Amino acid sequence: MDRRAFFDSVRHSLFVGKLTQAQVEGMIFLLDAFEKKGVSERNYAAYMLATAFWETARTMHPVRETLASSDDQAIRVLDTAYARGRLPWVRKPYWRKDADGK
């Protein structure tokens, strides 16, 4: 893959003309992992990069649910949204701590 062309393309099409160093590093990490695993199919790599883009709120690094600053805050935000019916696809709140506090 031509990484220069890749970064030029995503910089303008997804990141409004600007990438942070952290975003670049996150994408390099994923691209390196694809190459190391021998992933050469563009559709697979595109799907994984798109998933990372949306699930990380465009940071391209791991984030907590709801971008909360703590697990407890994330739980409160999700509990509130769930109680208000804003998560109709959720059958059982997966974010709540279990009996061991995990």
Side-chain angles (χ1 to χ4, degrees), residues 24-59:
V24 170
E25 290 169 3
M27 286 186 279
I28 287 172
F29 177 85
L30 292 172
L31 293 170
D32 287 347
F34 298 152
E35 287 179 5
K36 188 175 184 179
K37 293 282 186 182
V39 175
S40 60
E41 190 167 329
R42 285 181 161 188
N43 290 344
Y44 178 75
Y47 176 80
M48 296 304 294
L49 286 162
T51 299
F53 177 80
W54 290 111
E55 292 294 329
T56 67
R58 299 180 177 138
T59 67

Side-chain angles (χ1 to χ4, degrees), residues 73-93:
Q73 181 187 20
I75 291 168
R76 285 192 302 275
V77 169
L78 289 165
D79 275 341
T80 299
Y82 185 71
R84 292 181 178 166
R86 293 186 180 152
L87 305 172
W89 56 88
V90 176
R91 295 178 193 204
K92 181 180 178 186

